Tab-separated table of all heavy atoms in Angstrom:
chain	number	residue	atom	x	y	z
A	1	MET	N	10.214	-4.718	-36.708
A	1	MET	CA	11.055	-3.606	-36.253
A	1	MET	C	10.938	-3.374	-34.734
A	1	MET	O	9.871	-3.312	-34.250
A	1	MET	CB	10.673	-2.302	-37.008
A	1	MET	CG	9.207	-1.965	-36.892
A	1	MET	SD	8.823	-0.563	-37.965
A	1	MET	CE	7.069	-0.505	-37.720
A	2	SER	N	12.049	-3.331	-34.084
A	2	SER	CA	12.001	-3.163	-32.636
A	2	SER	C	12.818	-2.003	-32.275
A	2	SER	O	14.072	-1.957	-32.468
A	2	SER	CB	12.506	-4.408	-31.962
A	2	SER	OG	13.756	-4.729	-32.469
A	3	GLY	N	12.184	-1.027	-31.702
A	3	GLY	CA	12.985	0.171	-31.330
A	3	GLY	C	13.491	0.019	-29.859
A	3	GLY	O	14.448	0.655	-29.537
A	4	GLU	N	12.894	-0.925	-29.209
A	4	GLU	CA	13.336	-1.147	-27.836
A	4	GLU	C	14.333	-2.250	-27.695
A	4	GLU	O	14.199	-3.304	-28.317
A	4	GLU	CB	12.149	-1.436	-26.918
A	4	GLU	CG	11.140	-0.305	-26.855
A	4	GLU	CD	9.813	-0.769	-26.364
A	4	GLU	OE1	9.808	-1.691	-25.521
A	4	GLU	OE2	8.812	-0.219	-26.820
A	5	GLY	N	15.332	-2.051	-26.968
A	5	GLY	CA	16.317	-3.096	-26.823
A	5	GLY	C	17.248	-2.790	-25.618
A	5	GLY	O	16.713	-2.413	-24.551
A	6	THR	N	18.446	-2.833	-25.808
A	6	THR	CA	19.332	-2.461	-24.753
A	6	THR	C	19.450	-0.993	-24.660
A	6	THR	O	19.181	-0.264	-25.581
A	6	THR	CB	20.756	-3.086	-24.991
A	6	THR	OG1	21.189	-2.738	-26.311
A	6	THR	CG2	20.706	-4.637	-24.912
A	7	GLY	N	19.868	-0.579	-23.537
A	7	GLY	CA	20.033	0.879	-23.365
A	7	GLY	C	19.092	1.506	-22.399
A	7	GLY	O	19.259	2.510	-21.856
A	8	ASN	N	18.034	0.747	-22.115
A	8	ASN	CA	17.041	1.274	-21.166
A	8	ASN	C	16.839	0.254	-20.031
A	8	ASN	O	15.754	-0.296	-19.891
A	8	ASN	CB	15.754	1.584	-21.950
A	8	ASN	CG	14.823	2.445	-21.071
A	8	ASN	OD1	15.266	3.012	-20.057
A	8	ASN	ND2	13.579	2.539	-21.444
A	9	VAL	N	17.849	0.047	-19.299
A	9	VAL	CA	17.732	-1.002	-18.311
A	9	VAL	C	17.633	-0.293	-16.935
A	9	VAL	O	18.409	0.627	-16.582
A	9	VAL	CB	19.091	-1.823	-18.246
A	9	VAL	CG1	18.984	-2.902	-17.211
A	9	VAL	CG2	19.277	-2.494	-19.642
A	10	ALA	N	16.659	-0.713	-16.237
A	10	ALA	CA	16.428	-0.180	-14.860
A	10	ALA	C	17.474	-0.756	-13.901
A	10	ALA	O	17.826	-1.900	-14.027
A	10	ALA	CB	15.066	-0.509	-14.404
A	11	PRO	N	17.914	0.053	-12.979
A	11	PRO	CA	18.874	-0.443	-12.020
A	11	PRO	C	18.297	-1.554	-11.150
A	11	PRO	O	17.092	-1.471	-10.809
A	11	PRO	CB	19.159	0.815	-11.171
A	11	PRO	CG	18.067	1.798	-11.438
A	11	PRO	CD	17.559	1.447	-12.771
A	12	LEU	N	19.044	-2.487	-10.848
A	12	LEU	CA	18.550	-3.672	-10.112
A	12	LEU	C	18.122	-3.289	-8.712
A	12	LEU	O	17.074	-3.603	-8.232
A	12	LEU	CB	19.601	-4.748	-10.034
A	12	LEU	CG	19.962	-5.394	-11.318
A	12	LEU	CD1	21.088	-6.408	-11.147
A	12	LEU	CD2	18.709	-6.145	-11.858
A	13	ARG	N	19.007	-2.516	-8.089
A	13	ARG	CA	18.743	-2.190	-6.656
A	13	ARG	C	18.790	-0.619	-6.484
A	13	ARG	O	19.846	-0.064	-6.301
A	13	ARG	CB	19.713	-2.809	-5.775
A	13	ARG	CG	19.104	-3.171	-4.450
A	13	ARG	CD	20.141	-3.710	-3.495
A	13	ARG	NE	20.319	-5.125	-3.667
A	13	ARG	CZ	21.081	-5.805	-2.816
A	13	ARG	NH1	21.738	-5.230	-1.886
A	13	ARG	NH2	21.225	-7.088	-2.976
A	14	PRO	N	17.642	0.007	-6.596
A	14	PRO	CA	17.666	1.449	-6.437
A	14	PRO	C	18.061	1.795	-5.004
A	14	PRO	O	17.614	1.191	-4.033
A	14	PRO	CB	16.230	1.905	-6.705
A	14	PRO	CG	15.400	0.606	-6.526
A	14	PRO	CD	16.318	-0.485	-6.821
A	15	LYS	N	18.907	2.787	-4.878
A	15	LYS	CA	19.357	3.181	-3.534
A	15	LYS	C	18.273	3.988	-2.874
A	15	LYS	O	17.739	4.835	-3.394
A	15	LYS	CB	20.664	3.945	-3.667
A	15	LYS	CG	21.813	3.087	-3.987
A	15	LYS	CD	23.069	3.695	-3.463
A	15	LYS	CE	24.248	2.769	-3.715
A	15	LYS	NZ	25.491	3.348	-3.236
A	16	ARG	N	18.101	3.602	-1.640
A	16	ARG	CA	17.137	4.323	-0.834
A	16	ARG	C	17.850	5.044	0.300
A	16	ARG	O	18.710	4.449	0.972
A	16	ARG	CB	16.095	3.343	-0.238
A	16	ARG	CG	15.001	3.091	-1.228
A	16	ARG	CD	13.711	2.809	-0.412
A	16	ARG	NE	13.700	1.442	0.209
A	16	ARG	CZ	12.848	1.153	1.124
A	16	ARG	NH1	11.940	1.982	1.529
A	16	ARG	NH2	12.845	-0.083	1.610
A	17	PRO	N	17.484	6.268	0.584
A	17	PRO	CA	18.046	6.974	1.676
A	17	PRO	C	17.454	6.389	3.027
A	17	PRO	O	16.391	5.896	3.038
A	17	PRO	CB	17.632	8.367	1.464
A	17	PRO	CG	16.412	8.325	0.612
A	17	PRO	CD	16.493	7.093	-0.168
A	18	CYS	N	18.236	6.578	4.053
A	18	CYS	CA	17.818	6.139	5.337
A	18	CYS	C	16.575	6.937	5.784
A	18	CYS	O	16.490	8.093	5.660
A	18	CYS	CB	18.948	6.436	6.364
A	18	CYS	SG	18.499	6.251	8.032
A	19	PRO	N	15.560	6.169	6.137
A	19	PRO	CA	14.295	6.789	6.552
A	19	PRO	C	14.446	7.654	7.773
A	19	PRO	O	13.553	8.545	7.967
A	19	PRO	CB	13.344	5.659	6.860
A	19	PRO	CG	14.074	4.356	6.612
A	19	PRO	CD	15.515	4.688	6.276
A	20	GLU	N	15.440	7.451	8.517
A	20	GLU	CA	15.619	8.279	9.750
A	20	GLU	C	16.311	9.573	9.456
A	20	GLU	O	15.928	10.604	9.935
A	20	GLU	CB	16.385	7.435	10.777
A	20	GLU	CG	15.571	6.415	11.427
A	20	GLU	CD	14.311	6.995	12.068
A	20	GLU	OE1	14.365	8.091	12.658
A	20	GLU	OE2	13.267	6.323	12.037
A	21	CYS	N	17.416	9.534	8.781
A	21	CYS	CA	18.229	10.675	8.628
A	21	CYS	C	18.474	11.082	7.195
A	21	CYS	O	18.919	12.143	6.948
A	21	CYS	CB	19.563	10.553	9.355
A	21	CYS	SG	20.621	9.334	8.621
A	22	GLY	N	18.061	10.236	6.257
A	22	GLY	CA	18.242	10.585	4.883
A	22	GLY	C	19.561	10.332	4.241
A	22	GLY	O	19.737	10.614	3.094
A	23	ARG	N	20.493	9.755	5.011
A	23	ARG	CA	21.766	9.396	4.406
A	23	ARG	C	21.684	8.106	3.619
A	23	ARG	O	20.713	7.373	3.793
A	23	ARG	CB	22.781	9.230	5.565
A	23	ARG	CG	23.144	10.500	6.204
A	23	ARG	CD	23.671	10.215	7.571
A	23	ARG	NE	24.994	10.770	7.726
A	23	ARG	CZ	25.784	10.519	8.797
A	23	ARG	NH1	25.320	9.785	9.775
A	23	ARG	NH2	26.948	11.037	8.915
A	24	PRO	N	22.617	7.917	2.761
A	24	PRO	CA	22.579	6.656	1.992
A	24	PRO	C	22.575	5.484	2.910
A	24	PRO	O	23.308	5.448	3.915
A	24	PRO	CB	23.859	6.742	1.200
A	24	PRO	CG	24.324	8.140	1.200
A	24	PRO	CD	23.754	8.786	2.448
A	25	SER	N	21.771	4.472	2.583
A	25	SER	CA	21.658	3.302	3.443
A	25	SER	C	22.839	2.376	3.315
A	25	SER	O	23.556	2.360	2.237
A	25	SER	CB	20.391	2.592	3.098
A	25	SER	OG	20.396	2.276	1.750
A	26	SER	N	23.097	1.718	4.323
A	26	SER	CA	24.250	0.768	4.323
A	26	SER	C	23.687	-0.662	3.994
A	26	SER	O	22.495	-0.942	4.213
A	26	SER	CB	24.883	0.772	5.706
A	26	SER	OG	25.733	-0.345	5.804
A	27	ARG	N	24.502	-1.443	3.483
A	27	ARG	CA	24.096	-2.833	3.098
A	27	ARG	C	23.711	-3.613	4.297
A	27	ARG	O	22.771	-4.379	4.320
A	27	ARG	CB	25.207	-3.467	2.279
A	27	ARG	CG	24.690	-3.938	0.977
A	27	ARG	CD	25.823	-4.501	0.157
A	27	ARG	NE	26.001	-5.902	0.512
A	27	ARG	CZ	27.096	-6.628	0.123
A	27	ARG	NH1	28.096	-6.041	-0.448
A	27	ARG	NH2	27.180	-7.855	0.404
A	28	ASP	N	24.488	-3.439	5.305
A	28	ASP	CA	24.356	-4.287	6.549
A	28	ASP	C	23.021	-3.932	7.285
A	28	ASP	O	22.472	-4.769	7.904
A	28	ASP	CB	25.527	-4.135	7.450
A	28	ASP	CG	26.740	-4.782	6.833
A	28	ASP	OD1	26.597	-5.639	5.968
A	28	ASP	OD2	27.832	-4.426	7.220
A	29	THR	N	22.744	-2.682	7.189
A	29	THR	CA	21.602	-2.206	8.024
A	29	THR	C	20.450	-1.662	7.158
A	29	THR	O	19.606	-0.899	7.667
A	29	THR	CB	22.105	-1.054	8.954
A	29	THR	OG1	22.707	-0.096	8.186
A	29	THR	CG2	23.055	-1.602	9.958
A	30	TYR	N	20.425	-2.080	5.946
A	30	TYR	CA	19.367	-1.699	5.015
A	30	TYR	C	18.039	-1.868	5.648
A	30	TYR	O	17.793	-2.870	6.331
A	30	TYR	CB	19.471	-2.560	3.792
A	30	TYR	CG	18.590	-2.142	2.657
A	30	TYR	CD1	19.044	-1.123	1.789
A	30	TYR	CD2	17.368	-2.713	2.512
A	30	TYR	CE1	18.212	-0.725	0.755
A	30	TYR	CE2	16.550	-2.281	1.475
A	30	TYR	CZ	16.953	-1.280	0.626
A	30	TYR	OH	16.193	-0.890	-0.358
A	31	PRO	N	17.123	-0.935	5.494
A	31	PRO	CA	17.268	0.279	4.653
A	31	PRO	C	17.833	1.437	5.400
A	31	PRO	O	17.718	2.600	5.005
A	31	PRO	CB	15.807	0.509	4.202
A	31	PRO	CG	15.066	0.137	5.383
A	31	PRO	CD	15.786	-1.017	6.045
A	32	PHE	N	18.395	1.215	6.558
A	32	PHE	CA	18.932	2.309	7.371
A	32	PHE	C	20.423	2.502	7.096
A	32	PHE	O	21.090	1.599	6.532
A	32	PHE	CB	18.748	2.015	8.831
A	32	PHE	CG	17.298	1.834	9.152
A	32	PHE	CD1	16.784	0.506	9.261
A	32	PHE	CD2	16.443	2.870	9.293
A	32	PHE	CE1	15.455	0.351	9.537
A	32	PHE	CE2	15.076	2.653	9.603
A	32	PHE	CZ	14.624	1.372	9.694
A	33	CYS	N	20.936	3.623	7.520
A	33	CYS	CA	22.304	3.900	7.262
A	33	CYS	C	23.206	3.270	8.298
A	33	CYS	O	24.372	2.996	8.057
A	33	CYS	CB	22.562	5.408	7.173
A	33	CYS	SG	22.423	6.229	8.768
A	34	SER	N	22.700	3.026	9.433
A	34	SER	CA	23.502	2.468	10.534
A	34	SER	C	22.582	1.759	11.546
A	34	SER	O	21.354	1.936	11.486
A	34	SER	CB	24.212	3.585	11.236
A	34	SER	OG	23.352	4.520	11.770
A	35	THR	N	23.146	1.027	12.401
A	35	THR	CA	22.406	0.366	13.442
A	35	THR	C	21.697	1.368	14.313
A	35	THR	O	20.637	1.109	14.868
A	35	THR	CB	23.293	-0.527	14.284
A	35	THR	OG1	24.466	0.202	14.634
A	35	THR	CG2	23.635	-1.825	13.576
A	36	ARG	N	22.319	2.527	14.471
A	36	ARG	CA	21.715	3.538	15.303
A	36	ARG	C	20.377	3.923	14.829
A	36	ARG	O	19.332	3.963	15.534
A	36	ARG	CB	22.676	4.752	15.314
A	36	ARG	CG	22.255	5.788	16.290
A	36	ARG	CD	23.180	7.020	16.026
A	36	ARG	NE	22.513	8.152	16.711
A	36	ARG	CZ	22.752	8.499	17.912
A	36	ARG	NH1	23.592	7.754	18.708
A	36	ARG	NH2	22.186	9.559	18.465
A	37	CYS	N	20.303	4.208	13.489
A	37	CYS	CA	19.023	4.602	12.943
A	37	CYS	C	17.985	3.489	12.990
A	37	CYS	O	16.812	3.652	13.159
A	37	CYS	CB	19.199	5.112	11.499
A	37	CYS	SG	19.865	6.800	11.461
A	38	LYS	N	18.590	2.278	12.886
A	38	LYS	CA	17.691	1.113	12.917
A	38	LYS	C	17.041	1.058	14.295
A	38	LYS	O	15.845	0.756	14.420
A	38	LYS	CB	18.588	-0.105	12.698
A	38	LYS	CG	17.772	-1.305	12.298
A	38	LYS	CD	18.727	-2.439	11.906
A	38	LYS	CE	17.965	-3.695	11.502
A	38	LYS	NZ	18.913	-4.749	11.049
A	39	HIS	N	17.829	1.290	15.299
A	39	HIS	CA	17.258	1.242	16.659
A	39	HIS	C	16.300	2.400	16.920
A	39	HIS	O	15.318	2.228	17.639
A	39	HIS	CB	18.406	1.294	17.626
A	39	HIS	CG	19.182	-0.023	17.718
A	39	HIS	ND1	20.403	-0.143	18.388
A	39	HIS	CD2	18.972	-1.167	17.098
A	39	HIS	CE1	20.844	-1.371	18.238
A	39	HIS	NE2	19.993	-2.044	17.428
A	40	VAL	N	16.631	3.471	16.352
A	40	VAL	CA	15.634	4.618	16.532
A	40	VAL	C	14.287	4.264	15.942
A	40	VAL	O	13.296	4.463	16.578
A	40	VAL	CB	16.154	5.871	15.791
A	40	VAL	CG1	15.159	6.944	15.751
A	40	VAL	CG2	17.448	6.365	16.486
A	41	ASP	N	14.333	3.571	14.790
A	41	ASP	CA	13.070	3.205	14.164
A	41	ASP	C	12.370	2.139	15.015
A	41	ASP	O	11.182	2.123	15.189
A	41	ASP	CB	13.324	2.690	12.809
A	41	ASP	CG	12.028	2.431	12.029
A	41	ASP	OD1	11.448	3.497	11.607
A	41	ASP	OD2	11.634	1.305	11.857
A	42	LEU	N	13.225	1.229	15.529
A	42	LEU	CA	12.644	0.118	16.339
A	42	LEU	C	11.995	0.658	17.607
A	42	LEU	O	10.872	0.276	17.994
A	42	LEU	CB	13.760	-0.851	16.669
A	42	LEU	CG	13.336	-2.083	17.469
A	42	LEU	CD1	12.485	-2.967	16.544
A	42	LEU	CD2	14.570	-2.888	17.898
A	43	ASN	N	12.724	1.653	18.213
A	43	ASN	CA	12.132	2.234	19.388
A	43	ASN	C	10.816	2.907	19.176
A	43	ASN	O	9.944	2.912	19.990
A	43	ASN	CB	13.125	3.243	19.951
A	43	ASN	CG	14.255	2.510	20.762
A	43	ASN	OD1	14.079	1.443	21.248
A	43	ASN	ND2	15.386	3.140	20.787
A	44	ARG	N	10.731	3.487	17.965
A	44	ARG	CA	9.486	4.127	17.645
A	44	ARG	C	8.347	3.160	17.540
A	44	ARG	O	7.272	3.364	17.962
A	44	ARG	CB	9.623	4.885	16.293
A	44	ARG	CG	8.494	5.813	16.026
A	44	ARG	CD	8.751	6.635	14.814
A	44	ARG	NE	9.905	7.473	14.978
A	44	ARG	CZ	10.618	7.905	13.940
A	44	ARG	NH1	10.307	7.546	12.753
A	44	ARG	NH2	11.638	8.680	14.160
A	45	TRP	N	8.707	2.034	17.009
A	45	TRP	CA	7.689	0.941	16.925
A	45	TRP	C	7.241	0.591	18.323
A	45	TRP	O	6.099	0.424	18.638
A	45	TRP	CB	8.313	-0.250	16.236
A	45	TRP	CG	8.105	-0.339	14.810
A	45	TRP	CD1	8.972	0.161	13.856
A	45	TRP	CD2	6.973	-0.868	14.094
A	45	TRP	NE1	8.370	-0.130	12.650
A	45	TRP	CE2	7.210	-0.676	12.763
A	45	TRP	CE3	5.761	-1.455	14.585
A	45	TRP	CZ2	6.262	-1.153	11.799
A	45	TRP	CZ3	4.899	-1.840	13.600
A	45	TRP	CH2	5.128	-1.719	12.253
A	46	LEU	N	8.276	0.335	19.151
A	46	LEU	CA	7.954	-0.152	20.503
A	46	LEU	C	7.207	0.870	21.347
A	46	LEU	O	6.431	0.517	22.128
A	46	LEU	CB	9.237	-0.591	21.204
A	46	LEU	CG	10.018	-1.745	20.548
A	46	LEU	CD1	11.254	-1.963	21.235
A	46	LEU	CD2	9.068	-2.949	20.482
A	47	SER	N	7.529	2.126	21.093
A	47	SER	CA	6.865	3.125	21.896
A	47	SER	C	5.434	3.361	21.445
A	47	SER	O	4.604	4.067	22.118
A	47	SER	CB	7.661	4.453	21.856
A	47	SER	OG	7.760	4.930	20.526
A	48	GLY	N	5.081	2.819	20.307
A	48	GLY	CA	3.707	2.854	19.900
A	48	GLY	C	3.279	3.852	18.907
A	48	GLY	O	2.127	4.065	18.671
A	49	SER	N	4.250	4.564	18.380
A	49	SER	CA	3.880	5.604	17.372
A	49	SER	C	3.258	4.945	16.106
A	49	SER	O	2.524	5.634	15.450
A	49	SER	CB	5.105	6.359	17.000
A	49	SER	OG	5.634	7.091	18.081
A	50	TYR	N	3.726	3.758	15.894
A	50	TYR	CA	3.237	3.147	14.678
A	50	TYR	C	2.041	2.229	14.961
A	50	TYR	O	1.549	1.506	14.113
A	50	TYR	CB	4.337	2.233	14.058
A	50	TYR	CG	5.399	3.022	13.371
A	50	TYR	CD1	6.634	2.447	13.012
A	50	TYR	CD2	5.235	4.360	13.045
A	50	TYR	CE1	7.595	3.146	12.368
A	50	TYR	CE2	6.168	5.029	12.407
A	50	TYR	CZ	7.342	4.458	12.066
A	50	TYR	OH	8.335	5.136	11.415
A	51	ALA	N	1.621	2.230	16.171
A	51	ALA	CA	0.539	1.351	16.609
A	51	ALA	C	-0.756	1.726	15.772
A	51	ALA	O	-0.995	2.872	15.510
A	51	ALA	CB	0.255	1.444	18.067
A	52	ILE	N	-1.471	0.731	15.524
A	52	ILE	CA	-2.760	0.899	14.826
A	52	ILE	C	-3.725	1.538	15.814
A	52	ILE	O	-3.917	1.086	16.907
A	52	ILE	CB	-3.277	-0.437	14.374
A	52	ILE	CG1	-2.286	-1.120	13.437
A	52	ILE	CG2	-4.625	-0.205	13.678
A	52	ILE	CD1	-2.599	-2.575	13.178
A	53	PRO	N	-4.266	2.670	15.375
A	53	PRO	CA	-5.247	3.324	16.220
A	53	PRO	C	-6.459	2.424	16.572
A	53	PRO	O	-7.050	1.805	15.682
A	53	PRO	CB	-5.662	4.566	15.384
A	53	PRO	CG	-5.280	4.254	13.980
A	53	PRO	CD	-4.048	3.310	14.114
A	54	VAL	N	-6.701	2.432	17.849
A	54	VAL	CA	-7.790	1.519	18.290
A	54	VAL	C	-9.135	2.314	18.215
A	54	VAL	O	-9.208	3.390	18.776
A	54	VAL	CB	-7.556	1.065	19.688
A	54	VAL	CG1	-8.686	0.166	20.164
A	54	VAL	CG2	-6.195	0.355	19.798
A	55	ARG	N	-10.018	1.716	17.558
A	55	ARG	CA	-11.338	2.330	17.550
A	55	ARG	C	-12.214	1.709	18.534
A	55	ARG	O	-12.563	0.510	18.397
A	55	ARG	CB	-11.957	2.196	16.139
A	55	ARG	CG	-11.201	3.076	15.117
A	55	ARG	CD	-11.840	2.786	13.775
A	55	ARG	NE	-13.281	3.029	13.728
A	55	ARG	CZ	-14.041	2.774	12.662
A	55	ARG	NH1	-13.554	2.216	11.637
A	55	ARG	NH2	-15.353	2.976	12.731
A	56	ASP	N	-12.643	2.523	19.455
A	56	ASP	CA	-13.604	1.908	20.374
A	56	ASP	C	-14.893	2.729	20.308
A	56	ASP	O	-15.234	3.489	21.083
A	56	ASP	CB	-13.113	1.747	21.803
A	56	ASP	CG	-12.742	3.112	22.476
A	56	ASP	OD1	-12.320	4.009	21.697
A	56	ASP	OD2	-12.885	3.289	23.606
A	57	ASP	N	-15.534	2.567	19.183
A	57	ASP	CA	-16.902	3.091	19.147
A	57	ASP	C	-17.811	2.017	19.654
A	57	ASP	O	-17.367	1.098	20.346
A	57	ASP	CB	-17.274	3.533	17.680
A	57	ASP	CG	-16.611	2.719	16.631
A	57	ASP	OD1	-16.425	1.534	16.882
A	57	ASP	OD2	-16.249	3.258	15.588
A	58	GLU	N	-19.003	2.008	19.192
A	58	GLU	CA	-19.956	1.042	19.831
A	58	GLU	C	-19.424	-0.388	19.619
A	58	GLU	O	-19.023	-0.733	18.577
A	58	GLU	CB	-21.309	1.221	19.204
A	58	GLU	CG	-21.338	0.991	17.711
A	58	GLU	CD	-21.570	2.309	16.991
A	58	GLU	OE1	-20.670	3.083	16.695
A	58	GLU	OE2	-22.743	2.564	16.692
A	59	GLU	N	-19.436	-1.064	20.664
A	59	GLU	CA	-19.017	-2.451	20.649
A	59	GLU	C	-20.033	-3.325	20.008
A	59	GLU	O	-21.277	-3.212	20.229
A	59	GLU	CB	-18.666	-2.976	22.063
A	59	GLU	CG	-19.850	-2.718	23.033
A	59	GLU	CD	-19.355	-2.770	24.493
A	59	GLU	OE1	-18.420	-2.009	24.747
A	59	GLU	OE2	-19.903	-3.486	25.247
A	60	GLU	N	-19.525	-4.205	19.209
A	60	GLU	CA	-20.482	-4.981	18.416
A	60	GLU	C	-20.868	-6.252	19.281
A	60	GLU	O	-20.282	-7.322	19.031
A	60	GLU	CB	-19.833	-5.391	17.084
A	60	GLU	CG	-20.926	-5.663	16.060
A	60	GLU	CD	-20.251	-5.950	14.718
A	60	GLU	OE1	-19.387	-5.154	14.309
A	60	GLU	OE2	-20.589	-6.963	14.100
A	61	GLY	N	-21.672	-6.130	20.131
A	61	GLY	CA	-22.116	-7.305	20.946
A	61	GLY	C	-23.369	-7.811	20.393
A	61	GLY	O	-23.937	-7.360	19.433
A	62	ASP	N	-23.851	-8.821	21.106
A	62	ASP	CA	-25.154	-9.329	20.658
A	62	ASP	C	-26.289	-8.536	21.365
A	62	ASP	O	-26.537	-8.668	22.514
A	62	ASP	CB	-25.280	-10.793	20.940
A	62	ASP	CG	-24.938	-11.116	22.397
A	62	ASP	OD1	-23.892	-10.631	22.875
A	62	ASP	OD2	-25.638	-11.909	23.023
A	63	GLU	N	-26.808	-7.614	20.539
A	63	GLU	CA	-27.845	-6.778	21.084
A	63	GLU	C	-29.166	-7.500	20.887
A	63	GLU	O	-29.802	-7.436	19.838
A	63	GLU	CB	-27.825	-5.446	20.357
A	63	GLU	CG	-28.331	-4.282	21.223
A	63	GLU	CD	-28.187	-3.030	20.525
A	63	GLU	OE1	-26.995	-2.598	20.246
A	63	GLU	OE2	-29.202	-2.376	20.154
A	64	SER	N	-29.520	-8.247	21.854
A	64	SER	CA	-30.752	-9.052	21.735
A	64	SER	C	-31.924	-8.148	21.548
A	64	SER	O	-32.323	-7.414	22.411
A	64	SER	CB	-30.898	-9.976	22.975
A	64	SER	OG	-30.735	-9.155	24.150
A	65	GLU	N	-32.542	-8.350	20.447
A	65	GLU	CA	-33.762	-7.560	20.195
A	65	GLU	C	-34.959	-8.243	20.712
A	65	GLU	O	-35.154	-9.438	20.446
A	65	GLU	CB	-33.933	-7.401	18.675
A	65	GLU	CG	-32.839	-6.605	18.035
A	65	GLU	CD	-33.009	-6.475	16.522
A	65	GLU	OE1	-34.165	-6.571	16.071
A	65	GLU	OE2	-32.022	-6.378	15.770
A	66	PRO	N	-35.754	-7.492	21.379
A	66	PRO	CA	-37.009	-8.079	21.926
A	66	PRO	C	-37.956	-8.380	20.776
A	66	PRO	O	-38.142	-7.559	19.879
A	66	PRO	CB	-37.604	-6.966	22.844
A	66	PRO	CG	-36.907	-5.719	22.389
A	66	PRO	CD	-35.604	-6.092	21.810
A	67	LYS	N	-38.575	-9.499	20.778
A	67	LYS	CA	-39.392	-9.842	19.679
A	67	LYS	C	-40.762	-10.351	20.126
A	67	LYS	O	-40.844	-11.083	21.155
A	67	LYS	CB	-38.770	-10.944	18.883
A	67	LYS	CG	-39.426	-11.101	17.552
A	67	LYS	CD	-38.669	-12.067	16.627
A	67	LYS	CE	-39.383	-11.995	15.201
A	67	LYS	NZ	-38.702	-13.004	14.347
B	1	ZN	ZN1	20.337	7.136	9.235
């Protein structure tokens, strides 16, 4: 006996809103709604907002221990 069958199919491509403005994304500029938002995101990357924080705590050098 199988209760599961057709009828519960997940959509192939769930629509995602534009990460910049929240509007429905366009196919050409996915996942953004337009090239404009795409550029906004790109600029954010370039300006360094997404940059990985640099940790400069103690540098791991060769601390020669006197023996
Ligand atoms: Zn947008």
Side-chain angles (χ1 to χ4, degrees):
M1 55 186 176
S2 58
E4 296 162 34
T6 51
N8 195 13
V9 182
L12 291 177
R13 213 187 272 187
K15 286 205 172 181
R16 274 212 286 166
C18 171
E20 284 303 323
C21 66
R23 287 158 124 189
S25 56
S26 167
R27 235 175 88 196
D28 292 337
T29 54
Y30 189 84
F32 303 98
C33 70
S34 61
T35 43
R36 187 188 164 88
C37 282
K38 198 173 180 177
H39 287 173
V40 170
D41 190 73
L42 184 66
N43 281 332
R44 191 174 298 154
W45 267 94
L46 295 178
S47 61
S49 295
Y50 286 166
I52 301 167
V54 180
R55 288 178 55 186
D56 60 329
D57 31 35
E58 59 249 87
E59 51 201 54
E60 205 176 312
D62 49 316
E63 211 173 294
S64 48
E65 295 178 27
K67 194 171 186 185

